[in-house]
Amino acid sequence: MSDKMNMSRRTALKTFGVAAAGALAAPSVITRSLAAGETLVVYNFDGLLGKVIKDHWIDPFSQKTGVKVEVLTMQGSSPPMAKIKAQVDAGRPDADVIPMQMPDYVFGVRNNLFQTIDAKDMPEYANLYPDYITPHGPKLVLWSYGLAYNTDKIKTAPTAWADLWDPQYKGKAALNEALFDQALQMANLVAKGKPLPVDDATFAALTKLRPNLATLWTTGAQAEQLLRTGEVWIMPVWNGRVYPLKDQGVPIDFVSPKEGFFTRADPFCIPRGAKNPDLAKAFINFSCTVAPQQALAQGLFYASPNQKVVYPPEIAKRVVVSTREELARAVPEDFEVIVDNLPDWRRRWDAWKQS
């Protein structure tokens, strides 16, 4: 194994941080339009993901350019889209850069909430997989949704979503309510072998799971705490919430269920009427470069659409989707159908919770 492969994670992150600062000078949009002393407002995630993005995307960008970056922390993994719509409609969005889930993106496109971004303003697009570039920004932070489990309490590793229903986990499982649409699709993979449609059979499967459920969580930080304390032994969650805790000594591991796992990526967009669209483009372009993307993979094990990012073997396993072939194994999701049906699914989900 090379010296690079033997680097500690801390050393690697420091190295990537230095490289990130050096990379800032390259994109033409930065040298053309940035001015020190200006302020960029960026939505960011909570928990470990938010910390890595702040440490390795936001702070290096700010340090190199002199641009002050104000962070608005999202509660959970989605921005407040109803609030953002009202602000955009009024011509006063409170942020310049907004990362979001794919259903949020579909909602935003349908409501004309985002500026289009010309590829000529984004030099780093040349290195991204084309299918991870939308008209309104790149899809970054490729996270995989599988099963986390407590290795002290569960000696035989689970292999399937169906293991959640095992009676031995009575009162020791949890589901993600913030992305309840994925919980519904997961239940469908068990009950039907496919993610859609969501119907009576979906909720019947969830009702059978109810005795095992200790709680429903709404933020990544809550999920981390449930895993850290051992209150929950098994739950669907993102790979990047698991491995950092494991490295801290929490007895947990992550598996990709045999029925199929989900992989999503988060579009980074600029709202219409943003105060600083050029700064926003510069920040997004920098975020796409190798150093910030490598730091995310090294620190939190989320994959990148940047084709120049290289994953050491021990990181590739945790990233889950480190190659195009592995990405192809993920269960495809129809986000147009999801958004069309979310109000009805939400109504049925809320009714199920109360039943």
Side-chain angles (χ1 to χ4, degrees):
M1 186 175 291
S2 68
D3 290 340
K4 180 179 179 181
M5 299 283 286
N6 283 315
M7 284 193 300
S8 70
R9 198 171 78 180
R10 180 176 298 175
T11 301
L13 288 175
K14 287 181 179 178
T15 301
F16 297 141
V18 172
L24 278 166
S28 59
V29 67
I30 292 177
T31 58
R32 184 174 66 246
S33 62
L34 286 192
E38 295 192 41
T39 298
L40 179 72
V41 182
V42 177
Y43 271 98
N44 193 14
F45 300 93
D46 65 358
L48 292 172
L49 175 56
K51 184 178 187 307
V52 170
I53 287 178
K54 183 177 186 304
D55 290 348
H56 299 285
W57 301 18
I58 293 172
D59 287 353
F61 178 84
S62 180
Q63 291 162 9
K64 181 66 177 180
T65 62
V67 172
K68 178 183 177 182
V69 181
E70 179 182 338
V71 173
L72 304 177
T73 301
M74 299 185 288
Q75 298 303 307
S77 56
S78 290
M81 294 304 294
K83 173 185 174 183
I84 290 168
K85 181 180 184 303
Q87 292 174 342
V88 171
D89 289 345
R92 297 189 299 273
D94 64 356
D96 301 298
V97 178
I98 308 174
M100 64 199 69
Q101 303 296 324
M102 279 301 299
D104 301 323
Y105 175 71
V106 172
F107 172 86
V109 170
R110 290 181 178 183
N111 287 278
N112 193 28
L113 301 186
F114 310 132
Q115 298 186 19
T116 57
I117 298 179
D118 196 314
K120 68 180 176 58
D121 293 329
M122 307 294 286
E124 200 61 28
Y125 273 10
N127 294 322
L128 303 190
Y129 292 118
D131 46 337
Y132 283 87
I133 300 172
T134 81
H136 309 96
K139 293 188 287 185
L140 306 175
V141 191
L142 278 64
W143 47 273
S144 294
Y145 198 68
L147 277 175
Y149 69 99
N150 186 307
T151 56
D152 278 351
K153 303 295 185 180
I154 302 175
K155 299 302 183 183
T156 301
T159 60
W161 292 118
D163 291 334
L164 277 170
W165 278 255
D166 192 316
Q168 69 177 308
Y169 304 136
K170 183 177 181 179
K172 296 299 181 182
L175 289 179
N176 179 2
E177 180 165 24
L179 294 179
F180 72 96
D181 56 289
Q182 281 200 320
L184 296 174
Q185 293 183 92
M186 178 274 296
N188 272 342
L189 288 179
V190 174
K192 309 174 183 182
K194 57 183 181 179
L196 297 172
V198 171
D199 53 23
D200 290 347
T202 311
F203 287 93
L206 286 177
T207 297
K208 292 178 181 178
L209 180 61
R210 192 190 301 275
N212 286 9
L213 294 178
T215 189
L216 303 174
W217 52 272
T218 57
T219 71
Q222 289 175 347
E224 291 165 17
Q225 185 66 10
L226 290 169
L227 293 168
R228 189 186 298 276
T229 62
E231 179 181 348
V232 166
W233 296 358
I234 186 169
M235 69 160 74
V237 72
W238 315 296
N239 60 314
R241 297 289 182 171
V242 175
Y243 290 118
L245 294 179
K246 181 177 181 178
D247 288 344
Q248 294 169 24
V250 179
I252 56 174
D253 211 341
F254 179 88
V255 295
S256 298
K258 65 183 182 183
E259 300 99 333
F261 61 92
F262 297 101
T263 292
R264 289 187 178 183
D266 299 326
F268 278 61
C269 301
I270 304 170
R272 280 194 307 107
K275 293 179 182 178
N276 294 295
D278 287 340
L279 292 179
K281 291 174 189 175
F283 172 75
I284 293 172
N285 186 76
F286 166 69
S287 299
C288 292
T289 61
V290 169
Q293 292 296 300
Q294 192 88 48
L296 183 66
Q298 192 80 22
L300 206 55
F301 314 108
Y302 287 145
S304 172
N306 191 314
Q307 301 175 67
K308 291 190 173 182
V309 171
V310 176
Y311 306 98
E314 68 275 15
I315 300 299
K317 177 181 181 296
R318 293 180 168 198
V319 163
V320 181
V321 287
S322 59
T323 67
R324 293 290 281 177
E325 292 74 22
E326 289 163 337
L327 276 169
R329 294 176 48 237
V331 176
E333 296 183 83
D334 190 329
F335 293 105
E336 296 287 344
V337 170
I338 289 171
V339 172
D340 286 342
N341 288 278
L342 270 179
D344 181 60
W345 292 358
R346 167 59 75 182
R347 178 187 60 78
R348 298 196 65 176
W349 175 267
D350 289 341
W352 171 76
K353 287 193 301 180
Q354 299 300 321
S355 64

